[in-house]
């Protein structure tokens, strides 16, 4: 299961870079500690993906940990990037990851 997950995570990273949303500098320590869902009060969704979600998923995979089985990132992505056609590929990749981890596909 993790090979597909790793592939999807690499695709998310690649698409963030292609869209020029990848950042060299992480958000502040305070932003990184934001307890709200997706750290939405202190960072953008793309920052959350880059600095919280991707590293955490990488850590889980590295230690052969249990991947989340109920995940729903695509609705948030669709909400945040609503009306932005250039984000469609990224939303699709995120949706595929959701479906895979949730056992829908």
């Amino acid at each position: 299961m993790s090979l597909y997950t790793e592939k999807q995570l690499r695709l998310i990273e690649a698409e963030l870079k292609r869209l020029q949303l990848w950042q060299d500098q992480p958000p502040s320590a305070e932003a990184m500690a934001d307890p709200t869902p997706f750290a939405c009060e202190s960072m953008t969704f793309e920052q959350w993906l880059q600095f919280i979600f991707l590293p955490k998923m990488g850590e889980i995979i590295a230690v052969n940990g249990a991947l989340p089985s109920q995940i729903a990132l695509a609705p948030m992505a669709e909400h945040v990037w609503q009306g932005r056609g250039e984000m469609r590929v990224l939303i699709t990749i995120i949706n595929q990851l959701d479906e895979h981890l949730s056992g829908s596909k």
Side-chain angles (χ1 to χ4, degrees):
M1 179 183 252
S2 69
L3 285 178
Y4 182 85
T5 302
E6 287 179 83
K7 176 185 167 220
Q8 292 307 106
L9 296 175
R10 285 192 306 274
L11 288 173
I12 291 170
E13 178 178 340
E15 191 62 14
L16 285 169
K17 288 177 178 177
R18 187 187 72 77
L19 292 164
Q20 299 181 342
L21 296 172
W22 195 260
Q23 298 180 2
D24 293 331
Q25 296 298 314
S28 68
E30 294 80 20
M32 295 289 284
D34 182 346
T36 62
F38 308 108
C40 64
E41 292 185 1
S42 59
M43 63 180 80
T44 64
F45 186 60
E46 52 268 24
Q47 286 175 315
W48 179 84
L49 285 170
Q50 178 182 348
F51 295 105
I52 295 179
F53 179 72
L54 292 176
K56 181 167 278 302
M57 291 295 286
E59 290 171 13
I60 292 169
I61 291 168
V63 299
N64 290 321
L67 293 168
S69 60
Q70 294 297 314
I71 188 168
L73 302 180
M76 182 65 171
E78 289 171 0
H79 172 74
V80 169
W81 298 320
Q82 182 177 351
R84 292 181 59 191
E86 75 275 14
M87 305 304 281
R88 183 77 351 237
V89 170
L90 183 54
I91 292 169
T92 298
I93 295 165
I94 291 170
N95 189 54
Q96 290 168 343
L97 179 64
D98 281 359
E99 290 175 348
H100 176 71
L101 290 175
S102 299
S104 299
K105 278 198 173 179

